[in-house]
Structure formats: C-alpha cells, structure tokens
Amino acid sequence: MTQSKRTPPGGPPSGSGPVAFAAVPAVLLALLGAAAAPGAAAPGPGSPARAGVRAPAGVPNDARAEVRTDARPGTPARARAGVPRPGGFDVAPARAALERLLPRHAGQFTLVPDTAAATDAFTVSGTPGAITVRGSTGATLLTGVGWYLQHVAGADIGWPGDSIGMLPAELPGVAAPVTRSALVPHRYALNDTDDGYSGPYRTFEEHQRQIDLLALHGINEVFVQVGAEYPYHRALQGFGYSAEELRQWVPGPGHQSWWLLQNLSGFGGPVSERLMRERAELGGRIAEQLRGLGMTPVLPGYFGTVPPGFAARNPGSATVPQGDWAGFDRPDWLDPASPAFGELAAAYYAEQRAVFGDSTMYRMSPLHEGGRTGSVDVKSAAGAIQAALHAAHPGALWAVLGWQDDPTAELLAGVDTSKVLILDGLSDRYNRLDREARWGGAPYAMGTIYNFGGHTTIGANTSVWLERFGPWRAKSNSALAGIAYLPEGTGTNPAAFDLFTDLAWEPGPVDQRQWFAGFAARRYGRPDAEAAAAWEELRKGPYSTSSGLWSESQDSLFTARPSLTAAGAAYWSPKSMRYPAGAVRRALDHLLRVDPRLRGSSAYRFDLVDTARQALANHSRVLLPKIKAAYEAKDLARFRALTAEWQDAERKLDAVTGSDPNFLLGRWLAGARSWGADTAEQDRYEYDARSILSVWGRRGTSEDGFLHDYANREWSGLVSELYARRWKAYFDSLEEALVGRTAPRTIDWHAFEEEWARRTTRHPAGPSGDPHALASGIAAFLPAAG
C-alpha cells in the first residue's frame, strides 16, 4: 500500500472454536523436506540452518521417502492443533508462550480453559505467587496474563521493549477476581505491507515472538503473508506456465506484499524454488502457531491475479490489463466470469490448504489503488470471487481493506456482506466519517495506520481513537465489529500498540491522560516522577495529533533527499511538524533523569534512544532553514559552520541508534543474506532488502512514482552509509558553487541511491555504546526546550 495522489496518505465468529489445520501431504513433504530441486541452488557456506524442514505435527518423518517430487498435492489428511479436548482445550501452546514471555515467573501462573464463556473473556484471580487465569481460548489466557502484568504487577511487555526484569521474585496477588470480555469479536492485526516493511526475512522465532505479543495484547486474527507465493507457483503450473517462468514472475520477499495487492511483479527476484519451499514451510508453521492459541490465521485469498499471456494459454479466458502502478506494469486481472477463474481459484485454494491448512478468514482487495475494471461487471465479479472462496471454504469471511475508494458500492452489492469484514485504514485520519452510510451497514473494524513505510517516528492520533471508538460502537445502527491494527511497519511505537489494542478490552471510556500515566508507571517496572513527566510531554505532543489530513507524524529531514527546501523525506509524509517540537525535547531531559535503578530494562533503553533520535530529527527542521539562509546570503563561513553542525548531528544520530538492536541496518541485511544459498542469491536478497528502504523500485518507480525514501528510517548504518553521504555530497556541491560563484552541479540522486542499494557492505548486527551517555550528548548538543 502506498499513499496516492488521489487520496493523501496512506476469526472466527464470536464463540467459535479453534480452526483445524491440514497436515502437509506426503507429496508436498517431499518438496519441503527434500534436497534442492533440479535447477535450484544447493545450500552453500553461510546458508541458514534450515536444511531439515520440519514436518507439521501428525506427519511421520519417513513419509518423505515414498513420493515423487513432481506430483501435485492431493487432498491432505486432516490434523488438528489446539482442538478442544473433553472439558476444555489444549492449554499447552499458551503455556509454552507464557514460558517464552515470562521465563522466570511462568510457574506462578495456572492457566485454566473456560469454554463456558459466551465471548472471548478472561478472569484473573489469585494470591501472591499463585495467579490463576481462566480464558476462553489460549490467546485469551495470554491476554489475561497481559492484563495482570499491566494492572497488578506493574510491568510491561511491549513491542518492542519490556520491564519484566523488575518483577519481584514472588508475583503480587489479585485483590479480587477481575473479568474482562472483548468488546468486539474481531481484533485484527497486520497491514498487507507489514511483511515488506517490518521484515520479509525474519526467522520463525521472530514471528513466534510477534504472535506471543499479539496474543498478550488481545489480538485474535493475524494476517499470514509469508510463503503466499507458493500456492500461486504450484497452481499456475496447471494453467500453461513453467516453474521457471513463475519464478521470474514472483518478486523478492521484500516486494511480495505489493505483488499480492496486484501492483507489481518480478522486482527483487527471481526467487529460488528452495526459498519458496522454505517460506511456505515457515508460513505453515506461523499458521499452525496461531491455531494452537485459538487465533485465526488470515490467509491471502484468490481474486484473479495472473501472469502475462494467461488468456492466450487458456482459451475462453478474458483478462483485463491493470495498467501502471508507480512505474510498474501491474499483473493482469482474470475476469471472474471466465470459466478458468473458478478452476484456478479451486487449484489455488487446494495448494494453499496443503501447506497452510484451512481458515475462516481470507484477505483480498481487488482493484487496489487504481486497478482497472475494463468491461468487467464489478458486482458480478465480486460475487464470483466470494463464491470461489466459499466453494473452497464454506462461510469464510472476506476481509477487505478500507482504503481510498475501496471497497466500492459495486463490490459490496455483489456479495453477502454478513461474510465480509472491512478493515478501515482511515478511521483516525479524516473527519466527518460515517462508515455505516459509506459501506451500507457492512461490518467493519476501526483501524489505524499511524506508521507508513516503517518510519522511525514517534506519535499517533491517540486522542482520536479514544474520541471515536466508544461513540461509533454505541450508535444505534453501528456496524463496528472490531479493531484493525494496521501500521505499514510494526515494532516502532510501543505506546501506540498498547493503547490501540486496549480499546477492545476496556469496559468504560479510556481517559488518555490517565492511560499514559499508567503506561509510564509500568513501562520501566516502577513508578518514577521523571518517567511520568516524560510521558506526559509525549502524550501532549506527538501522541495527541489531530485528524483531518494525517494519521502519521512527520519524518526526518536527515533522511530526506538533499534540498535546501526539503520538507519531508517521503513524498507522501507530512511536510511540517504536527506537534510542538519542545514536547519531545523536554521528554528527553526527563528520561535522562529517570532513577538509575530503572535504566537497565530494554524498555527504558528503547524509549531513551527513540526519544533522543526524535528530538534530534526534529532539530533538522530548525537547522536546514538556517543553512538555506546562509547559502542564499553567500555567507561561506556561516554555511560551513552550519553544515558542519548538520553533519555532527548525523554522526550523533548514527551513534545513538547504534546502541539499541531495534535500530540496526546490520540486522536487516543479515536477515536477508541468511536466506540465500550461495553468494549470488545472498546478494540478490540483500538488494531486495536495501532497495525497499531507498530506491524502492526501478528508476521510474523511484522518480515518477515518488517512492524513493518511502520507507526511510533512522537506523545506524543507514544514516552513515546513505543519508549522511548523500547530504555531504550535496553540501559539497553547494560549497563549490559558493567558492566558484557558479550554479551547483547536478547530482543524479537515483544513481547515487541505486549504487548504495547494490552494495554488499557489512554492518554490525549487535548494538554498541552506552545509550544514556549517547542520549546525554544529544541533549547537550540540542538547544534547551522553550
């Protein structure tokens, strides 16, 4: 998803049980577990330790030896994960998650299935050292644990950062049993772009940690994108395409999000068959992990994306060219009225089921961001898409993104809207919204996209969430049925994640000031006056931005393509401050004075680094106009002094972000290279990972599509190797012009950025330096807040 010129930026039903997952059939196990297929690169030195691909539970390991690798998967045998046992459900997955989340204290919790609950609900009770949590699903048990940590133990497990090291040896008791029920049945998480912007090359353990956090915070429906290319690759081989043609069509993992949205194909590839098999296995494990907790894995559905030439290879089919998306030729759309559509959809869902199992919820957004309808009747097409889904998965819910003009009235008119959930990406962005009138009463989830491209920027329209959620839900004709946590990149804003997910569980109106005071008290494991003052400043500033035009705060000028008139890094980002900069500057001073005994947590370290980074980023908007004035006045001495100050700030920025693992380019690149079997493949995936942060795509995409720096972020290594070098080249050209009294030389910025994206330089994958000392240096460097 990108923010277009047309529009400024941008589970099962209640009470149902866990969903069965399908065991991988023997034919596919051969593909998943065997050596590399002919033509695929064999694992080489430095390749990840994934040689023995694990079969899902219930499938014997020796099944691999009896099958041919060229056979197509048949109907899989069924196995079930987390299926209710007599008297309850299997709490083992929740217990395992609890032991990962609270390794020192898990033994003090008793988890009890409560299948009598009419809706998702938990009850927390107990005496010191003996806490009992009853819950209607494994995930809801974990939500109860999260409630206990937040409201009783006074500790935080955030995304990212935690303060569990401050918990006492014996956990405190609960004064009286507390029961909470979910206010809405749908608590959905993850934008279609999350895999691309948050980490397309993550390990299973990293995905597992994400699932644990989502369950802890009350989410019950999670989009699973990893490995989504595999069903396409398998199914389309039955419709006239070779495996090699399809490998060329599938983009690299960093760009697959937009391929699934029917925006592009091929870029960042080709992918190897080995990579597709391993990603499919990973996606299957993620889906299995969710089911084990009673959560719904939301899988991509099939709505008609096909490779070039489909109609010629499948007589009687009609395809609609989808035109251009940001400089890319979009994949064609197969008219759902074509006889081949139902056949291909059935093949796709069969291949998907073989690896990912069944679900009750599927994500599809036909005609996303300007797709062309041609002569297709959208109402009939939507009905055919839903019919194909229900033929494979009777009664499954179709989740569609509410974005720009979608879903249209024509699309909704063609479907059973009781089996649709609209994930509203604009709930907190614009004013005068009437979702019932806009979508004819179709169920929707109030969503937020407070982060675009994975930007490292603090803030969200939290007051808008609190002002709207209750009244929207209480309307006499309300169709509000959920919340949708939809930042384009996750893992950057723990306060926003905590507060937004709390909406679905707090029985009364949430007072913003009280909530942030409570957050400050638990974030570092103990109440602290300076922490409270810091978070009050952040609440009043970046966390109280208003609706009307934006849902995200401004990004940094340090990450912008150089210009004396730069107003933002990403073309689609806000061009000015959305809150008084002094709020963040004062918050930094307060955080530096937090009790030294509370500074050892990962939560404190992340918040301190993030706040210092943001304070410095905001200063770029003060410094650049001064540089511009000096240049225009032809004051060479002042120009040199100010540009030296700018470059010093960038060095400080690179150093402070290097002190926390969440701000390291090296981790991002190492993850990408770990999936390559040889040097050539590793380099290809590194380019995929670097390009999404910089040029995004080819020259036309970067320049005419305005996507360069869309995913800008202040990371150590990225600042020093790309952004600082870019600004230095620019300032050098301006200084040459001042000295020589000539016009500045022209710099081809796309070529500059493309050269960086093609590099394979190494960067630290672990943090270094003292965050407090480095943040103190930034506070001393910056002017005091007014």
Side-chain angles (χ1 to χ4, degrees):
M1 174 168 34
T2 62
Q3 306 174 42
S4 81
K5 299 178 186 176
R6 200 154 50 86
T7 300
S14 175
S16 66
V19 182
F21 79 94
V24 177
V27 287
L28 197 53
L29 279 172
L31 291 174
L32 294 176
S47 63
R50 306 184 224 273
V53 179
R54 186 184 62 82
V59 179
N61 290 331
D62 60 3
R64 297 182 179 88
E66 302 174 7
V67 297
R68 295 171 49 201
T69 60
D70 61 346
R72 293 179 58 77
T75 302
R78 299 298 180 92
R80 300 179 74 86
V83 174
R85 293 177 176 179
F89 55 84
D90 186 0
V91 300
R95 167 60 58 184
L98 180 60
E99 290 171 354
R100 290 189 295 271
L101 291 163
L102 293 170
R104 294 192 302 120
H105 296 85
Q108 296 182 45
F109 287 89
T110 299
L111 304 181
V112 180
D114 185 5
T115 55
T119 59
D120 283 346
F122 63 80
T123 299
V124 181
S125 61
T127 56
I131 311 304
T132 297
V133 181
R134 306 180 70 88
S136 54
T137 66
T140 309
L141 288 170
L142 294 175
T143 307
V145 172
W147 185 94
Y148 168 84
L149 292 173
Q150 178 175 335
H151 294 278
V152 179
D156 185 62
I157 302 181
W159 195 3
D162 68 67
S163 58
I164 60 172
M166 297 298 293
L167 287 170
E170 183 178 77
L171 294 175
V174 184
V178 174
T179 297
R180 289 283 184 272
S181 297
L183 304 180
V184 286
H186 301 287
R187 283 103 54 208
Y188 181 99
L190 302 187
N191 199 302
D192 296 71
T193 66
D194 182 69
D195 199 50
Y197 288 140
S198 300
Y201 295 97
R202 286 170 287 186
T203 64
F204 173 71
E205 289 70 26
E206 289 170 316
H207 283 280
Q208 186 179 55
R209 172 70 176 181
Q210 178 173 285
I211 293 168
D212 292 348
L213 290 173
L214 291 170
L216 196 73
H217 289 268
I219 294 296
N220 68 338
E221 297 162 347
V222 181
F223 186 46
V224 180
Q225 185 178 128
V226 181
E229 70 275 24
Y230 194 80
Y232 278 94
H233 184 258
R234 290 286 298 177
L236 283 162
Q237 289 181 56
F239 290 81
Y241 293 90
S242 69
E244 176 60 23
E245 286 178 304
L246 294 168
R247 286 203 312 112
Q248 299 290 333
W249 183 58
V250 174
H255 291 78
Q256 281 186 19
S257 296
W258 296 271
W259 172 66
L260 289 172
L261 287 166
Q262 205 177 43
N263 295 152
L264 56 82
S265 63
F267 190 83
V271 294
S272 69
E273 292 193 26
R274 177 197 56 79
L275 179 77
M276 286 190 288
R277 290 195 304 271
E278 291 184 355
R279 280 174 53 82
E281 188 269 345
L282 174 58
R285 292 184 68 189
I286 292 168
E288 181 183 344
Q289 188 77 12
L290 290 164
R291 292 189 190 95
L293 291 171
M295 303 168 80
T296 300
V298 182
L299 303 177
Y302 185 74
F303 60 90
T305 301
V306 291
F310 186 90
R313 303 184 194 201
N314 295 272
S317 299
T319 58
V320 181
Q322 290 298 288
D324 172 90
W325 183 86
F328 284 105
D329 291 329
R330 300 175 63 137
D332 291 343
W333 185 34
L334 174 61
D335 184 348
S338 297
F341 178 86
E343 298 170 11
L344 179 51
Y348 169 89
Y349 286 121
E351 299 289 358
Q352 184 183 65
R353 176 183 293 114
V355 183
F356 297 91
D358 292 313
S359 185
T360 56
M361 193 171 185
Y362 290 79
R363 262 292 293 121
M364 294 180 280
S365 284
L367 306 170
H368 175 75
E369 291 193 347
R372 298 177 180 178
T373 60
S375 60
V376 173
D377 179 85
V378 173
K379 176 180 176 181
S380 297
I385 292 168
Q386 189 176 55
L389 171 63
H390 287 172
H393 305 285
L397 204 62
W398 175 355
V400 60
L401 186 65
W403 179 249
Q404 296 183 2
D405 296 331
D406 294 327
T408 63
E410 292 82 1
L411 184 144
L412 293 174
V415 301
D416 175 358
T417 56
S418 71
K419 301 299 183 183
V420 167
L421 179 68
I422 301 168
L423 310 171
D424 185 13
L426 301 171
S427 296
D428 61 345
R429 183 163 181 165
Y430 299 124
N431 296 326
R432 297 178 295 278
L433 298 176
D434 186 333
R435 294 343 227 160
E436 286 74 18
R438 173 72 176 79
W439 293 317
Y444 76 97
M446 178 178 141
T448 181
I449 307 178
Y450 60 75
N451 174 296
F452 287 88
H455 299 155
T456 45
T457 187
I458 291 175
N461 296 350
T462 68
S463 57
V464 180
W465 304 344
L466 301 179
E467 290 165 4
R468 293 184 178 176
F469 181 72
W472 283 12
R473 184 170 162 264
K475 288 173 60 176
S476 60
N477 65 335
S478 178
L480 177 61
I483 61 168
Y485 181 68
L486 299 171
E488 284 197 339
T490 50
T492 63
N493 212 329
F497 172 59
D498 275 22
L499 177 51
F500 188 77
T501 51
D502 270 1
L503 292 178
W505 293 91
E506 288 302 314
V510 176
D511 180 277
Q512 187 206 37
R513 184 167 188 166
Q514 290 181 2
W515 190 93
F516 273 92
F519 181 78
R522 69 177 184 272
R523 181 65 175 158
Y524 313 129
R526 297 281 190 282
D528 180 89
E530 294 292 349
W535 279 99
E536 175 62 7
E537 291 289 352
L538 294 173
R539 178 194 72 83
K540 293 186 298 184
Y543 288 100
S544 287
T545 47
S546 62
S547 58
L549 186 60
W550 305 103
S551 58
E552 181 190 43
S553 292
Q554 72 290 334
D555 52 16
S556 170
L557 299 189
F558 289 128
T559 60
R561 182 177 280 184
S563 166
L564 291 177
T565 58
Y571 179 86
W572 310 104
S573 291
K575 297 300 181 282
S576 60
M577 291 291 299
R578 296 197 60 221
Y579 56 84
V584 177
R585 177 68 184 85
R586 288 187 292 272
L588 174 58
D589 288 340
H590 286 302
L591 284 176
L592 287 167
R593 294 194 292 265
V594 162
D595 188 332
R597 292 171 294 180
L598 305 184
R599 297 177 189 170
S601 71
S602 60
Y604 176 78
R605 181 193 62 215
F606 175 85
D607 292 349
L608 179 64
V609 169
D610 201 25
T611 304
R613 177 208 55 72
Q614 189 66 59
L616 196 54
N618 291 345
H619 186 60
S620 68
R621 294 179 177 272
V622 175
L623 199 51
L624 188 61
K626 294 180 180 179
I627 294 172
K628 179 177 182 288
Y631 178 78
E632 291 177 343
K634 297 181 171 54
D635 186 338
L636 182 59
R638 180 161 173 74
F639 177 82
R640 284 173 170 168
L642 288 169
T643 55
E645 183 179 347
W646 179 282
Q647 290 166 340
D648 186 31
E650 288 178 308
R651 285 189 289 271
K652 286 180 166 57
L653 181 61
D654 195 74
V656 75
T657 53
S659 66
D660 184 273
N662 295 284
F663 297 93
L664 301 179
L665 175 65
R667 290 182 69 191
W668 180 265
L669 300 181
R673 295 192 71 83
S674 75
W675 284 81
D678 55 28
T679 301
E681 192 177 4
Q682 290 166 359
D683 291 351
R684 194 159 66 245
Y685 299 153
E686 178 167 357
Y687 175 74
D688 182 41
R690 282 179 179 253
S691 62
I692 198 74
L693 302 180
S694 52
V695 294
W696 210 101
R698 56 180 66 101
R699 181 178 286 271
T701 307
S702 180
E703 308 307 299
D704 300 332
F706 304 105
L707 289 188
H708 68 81
D709 299 303
Y710 183 92
N712 73 87
R713 49 196 70 176
E714 290 169 313
W715 279 356
S716 184
L718 187 57
V719 171
S720 58
E721 191 178 60
L722 177 58
Y723 302 139
R725 283 180 54 247
R726 196 165 59 174
W727 276 105
K728 184 179 186 307
Y730 179 65
F731 289 147
D732 285 349
S733 74
L734 295 185
E735 183 170 331
E736 291 168 9
L738 285 178
V739 172
R741 299 186 179 185
T742 61
R745 56 186 165 83
T746 300
I747 300 175
D748 183 340
W749 290 121
H750 177 77
F752 189 104
E753 295 148 7
E754 179 71 13
E755 183 276 332
W756 178 81
R758 296 287 178 184
R759 290 186 175 195
T760 56
T761 48
R762 303 274 59 82
H763 295 271
S768 63
D770 180 343
H772 195 273
L774 292 165
S776 297
I778 288 173
F781 172 82
L782 294 172

